Amino acid sequence: MLYPRAIPLAIFLAIAAITTLSVFAIESNARARELAQMREYARTVSAALDRNSNSFSSYLRAGAALFASSADVRPETFDNFVRALRLDTEYPGAEGIGWLPVIETADVPAFMAQVRERQPDFPAIYPKPVATTGRIAPVTMFAPASERNRRALGYDMYSDPARAAAMAEAELARRPTASGRIVLEQEQSGNLPAFAIYMPVFRTFGEDDRRLIGFVYAPFRAREFLDSALARERPEDFGVRLYDGEAATGNLLVTHTLGDPASERVEEEVTIANRRLLLVIESANVRVLSPLSMVTLVFGLALASLLMLLARLLTQQAYEDQSRLAFLEEQHSIRNSLTRELNHRVKNTLANVLSILSLTRRRTRDLDEFADSLEGRIRALSATHDLLTVTDWGTTPIRAVIEAELQHFRLALDDAILLEGPPLELAPNDALSFGLAVHELATNAAKYGALSVASGRVTIRWQMVGEQLAEVEWRESGGPQVASERRRGFGTELIEKIVAHELRQPVALDFRPEGVICVMRVPIRRPADFRIREAGREV
């Protein structure tokens, strides 16, 4: 069966395409699985942050209830209340809980006198109020008491726009509200990100008189607050970022960065104390292919290569078989042609022998003359046959045919024979007939003509007279004078009848007194017209 040459390549491309689709499906599933893990991790962290903020908000609500129910909360009482919450162990990142009374600027002197009666070392309010009207909210109490936390006492929360905005929002919403990114006053240096949650405290002074008296608040270090919500064993290839609002550099609260650029990211909104934050989970999985994809790819390419090789071998075998069959068919055709050609040439040769035999018998008087004449003419045929055999029955030069028939005369009378003409080739059958004619002319010249005396000369010239036709002239000179009356011999009939018939061209014989002149026309054929073996040798 003959297969198209593109089949091996088509098989390889098909298997390679299937392998590519398989690898793509595996990688897509791996990516989807990774994204699902990232979403699950983001929901877990978000839930932990929400749970921590809600729990701490309940403590702030309890503190707000403490100040709303009692007009005289002493620092010792507040400190015991906060210490009982054990914030340092339950809520990492929380600095503590503070109290911010809201007072008018005009009442600052009286407020400071009242506070310093209980806290003699209470610092001055900072930054110092510039306007004489308006409200301030200084940190009056902060627990648990420590040297670090004392740095926050006296700080006016309304002086910072981020804190003031959160306090205003909490006052309107009447629930705990988180601020944006801030820097804690407890930090002596640096700008570690932090945020604070404010719980407004209202007190009823009459049936319809409910006033804001201050805020209970809690500051948080953003990194510790986030770390407390992360799983104990955070995946090494996951990074975490927490933004205040949109994912922008200026809004970044805290980050756990990755060593490599993130390839995948999942975003999850988190609400902490009435403020929307954005949690971003990143993955730095930079491997090119998963192990299963690598195995699939290697196996698929190996299978595709193997099938392509197998198909290539089958295709090559099919082409070789086809070529072998074509070669055998051509050889069979050549063999048939050779057989037909051999039969044709044997018949022609036998016909020539029979004609020579018949004419010789009629033109001889005794057996010896008959034998000599017949032997000479058969030898002429044999000489031309030998020449054709040397040329593999292809084209034979005119000069070679003439020299083969005149070789015995040229050995003895080299100067007496002149050959002139361009290189021209004869077909096998034409060479046989032409050789017989040359033999008869040479035999006649040797017996009766120019070659019978030392002074005699024979000139043989040939030239092209048509596209496929050459003219050969035999001219004798210097020999005995040719008799005007002569007996018509076998050579004359052989040339005028047999040779003219085989060459399919007229032959002119002129027996002039000074010497015989014979003009013959011989076909010049192309090798493709008769060389049936040429194709056989090229196969």
Side-chain angles (χ1 to χ4, degrees):
M1 182 175 180
L2 187 60
Y3 298 97
R5 291 186 180 273
I7 280 184
L9 181 60
I11 292 176
F12 178 83
L13 292 178
I15 300 298
I18 294 174
T19 302
T20 302
L21 291 177
S22 300
V23 171
F24 177 77
I26 293 172
E27 289 300 306
S28 297
N29 291 336
R31 181 175 179 272
R33 184 167 57 253
E34 183 181 29
L35 288 176
Q37 292 175 351
M38 294 173 64
R39 293 190 185 97
E40 180 63 25
Y41 184 69
R43 285 192 290 267
T44 301
V45 175
S46 174
L49 291 174
D50 184 67
R51 183 170 57 253
N52 290 348
S53 65
N54 289 336
S55 298
F56 210 92
S57 295
S58 64
Y59 294 153
L60 294 181
R61 290 179 188 273
L66 174 66
F67 283 97
S69 60
S70 175
D72 186 17
V73 179
R74 302 182 66 83
E76 297 81 2
T77 304
F78 184 68
D79 187 70
N80 291 333
F81 168 77
V82 174
R83 288 183 181 276
L85 300 179
R86 302 180 62 182
L87 299 180
D88 55 343
T89 59
E90 298 293 336
Y91 299 95
E95 292 287 335
I97 299 177
W99 163 245
L100 311 173
V102 177
I103 60 177
E104 296 294 330
T105 306
D107 299 333
V108 169
F111 169 77
M112 291 296 295
Q114 181 182 2
V115 170
R116 283 177 174 171
E117 287 181 0
R118 295 180 177 179
Q119 303 180 60
D121 56 349
F122 190 83
I125 296 175
Y126 70 97
K128 184 177 181 180
V130 178
T132 57
T133 58
R135 299 188 302 179
I136 63 173
V139 180
T140 305
M141 289 183 283
F142 198 93
S146 65
E147 187 64 27
R148 171 184 170 83
N149 289 338
R150 283 186 59 82
R151 299 192 194 107
L153 295 178
Y155 178 71
D156 179 15
M157 291 288 180
Y158 277 129
S159 64
D160 179 33
R163 293 177 169 89
M167 294 163 65
E169 180 66 24
E171 182 180 357
L172 292 175
R174 297 193 175 190
R175 61 180 180 178
T177 301
S179 70
R181 175 175 173 168
I182 60 174
V183 177
L184 298 180
E185 289 303 315
Q186 288 93 325
E187 302 289 345
Q188 289 183 331
S189 62
N191 57 350
L192 295 178
F195 66 95
I197 300 177
Y198 297 90
M199 175 64 194
V201 179
F202 294 91
R203 184 179 295 167
T204 303
F205 292 93
E207 184 176 353
D208 296 327
D209 189 8
R210 185 177 176 83
R211 302 177 190 173
L212 175 69
I213 61 172
F215 294 89
V216 177
Y217 88 103
F220 294 88
R221 296 184 300 274
R223 176 172 291 277
E224 284 79 354
F225 181 77
L226 177 62
D227 289 346
S228 66
L230 298 179
R232 291 184 178 179
E233 295 183 0
R234 179 174 62 88
E236 295 181 358
D237 52 354
F238 284 179
V240 182
R241 296 175 184 267
L242 186 63
Y243 292 91
D244 178 23
E246 296 181 354
T249 304
N251 297 334
L252 182 63
L253 289 176
V254 63
T255 178
H256 287 279
T257 58
L258 300 170
D260 298 317
S263 58
E264 301 288 349
R265 59 181 289 163
V266 171
E267 297 181 355
E268 182 79 14
E269 286 191 356
V270 183
T271 300
I272 297 179
N274 199 31
R275 189 174 187 87
R276 292 186 179 276
L277 305 180
L278 183 64
L279 178 67
V280 177
I281 306 297
E282 298 174 333
S283 172
N285 193 346
V286 295
R287 67 173 183 266
V288 179
L289 292 176
S290 64
L292 181 59
S293 297
M294 289 296 295
V295 172
T296 303
L297 180 61
V298 172
F299 178 77
L301 292 179
L303 179 61
S305 301
L306 180 62
L307 291 179
M308 182 183 68
L309 179 61
L310 181 60
R312 180 72 180 91
L313 292 176
L314 291 176
T315 304
Q316 184 65 27
Q317 184 64 39
Y319 271 95
E320 290 178 358
D321 292 343
Q322 187 73 12
S323 300
R324 192 175 295 109
L325 288 175
F327 174 77
L328 294 176
E329 290 178 359
E330 187 171 0
Q331 291 298 312
H332 181 69
S333 176
I334 292 173
R335 191 178 299 110
N336 291 337
S337 299
L338 287 174
T339 302
R340 291 193 299 269
E341 181 68 16
L342 180 61
N343 291 335
H344 174 71
R345 291 177 180 176
V346 168
K347 290 180 180 180
N348 286 344
T349 301
L350 291 176
N352 288 336
V353 171
L354 290 175
S355 299
I356 293 171
L357 181 62
S358 176
L359 291 175
T360 303
R361 184 184 60 186
R362 292 199 301 266
R363 297 296 180 179
T364 55
R365 299 183 179 86
D366 54 37
L367 183 60
D368 292 336
E369 184 182 359
F370 170 78
D372 293 339
S373 299
L374 181 60
E375 181 182 0
R377 287 156 184 156
I378 297 299
R379 287 186 181 278
L381 281 177
S382 177
T384 307
H385 268 271
D386 291 341
L387 185 61
L388 292 174
T389 301
V390 172
T391 59
D392 199 16
W393 284 82
T395 56
T396 304
I398 288 180
R399 179 181 290 273
V401 175
I402 297 173
E403 289 177 346
E405 298 298 338
L406 300 181
Q407 59 180 337
H408 299 295
F409 303 101
R410 297 194 71 185
L411 290 176
L413 306 169
D414 188 30
D415 296 338
I417 301 174
L418 176 64
L419 305 181
E420 291 183 1
L424 298 178
E425 306 284 332
L426 298 179
N429 289 339
D430 298 336
L432 288 173
S433 301
F434 179 69
L436 280 176
V438 173
H439 172 74
E440 292 301 325
L441 290 172
T443 301
N444 183 74
K447 288 182 178 181
Y448 314 109
L451 297 181
S452 64
V453 296
S455 60
R457 296 288 183 272
V458 174
T459 302
I460 305 173
R461 293 186 176 91
W462 61 91
Q463 61 181 352
M464 292 293 296
V465 294
E467 183 178 355
Q468 294 183 345
L469 192 65
E471 184 178 83
V472 181
E473 182 189 61
W474 173 284
R475 182 182 294 272
E476 297 181 21
S477 61
Q481 186 174 1
V482 179
S484 59
E485 294 183 3
R486 68 191 185 283
R487 184 175 62 89
R488 187 175 180 83
F490 167 73
T492 302
E493 292 191 9
L494 177 67
I495 294 174
E496 291 181 344
K497 293 182 178 180
I498 297 179
V499 174
H501 176 267
E502 291 294 330
L503 296 179
R504 296 180 178 85
Q505 297 293 333
V507 177
L509 271 172
D510 187 3
F511 292 93
R512 296 182 182 181
E514 64 273 14
V516 177
I517 297 177
C518 178
V519 178
M520 296 178 289
R521 291 194 173 185
V522 185
I524 303 298
R525 304 182 191 178
R526 296 176 301 171
D529 293 337
F530 50 86
R531 290 192 66 175
I532 62 176
R533 299 186 185 182
E534 188 67 26
R537 288 200 301 266
E538 294 176 356
V539 173

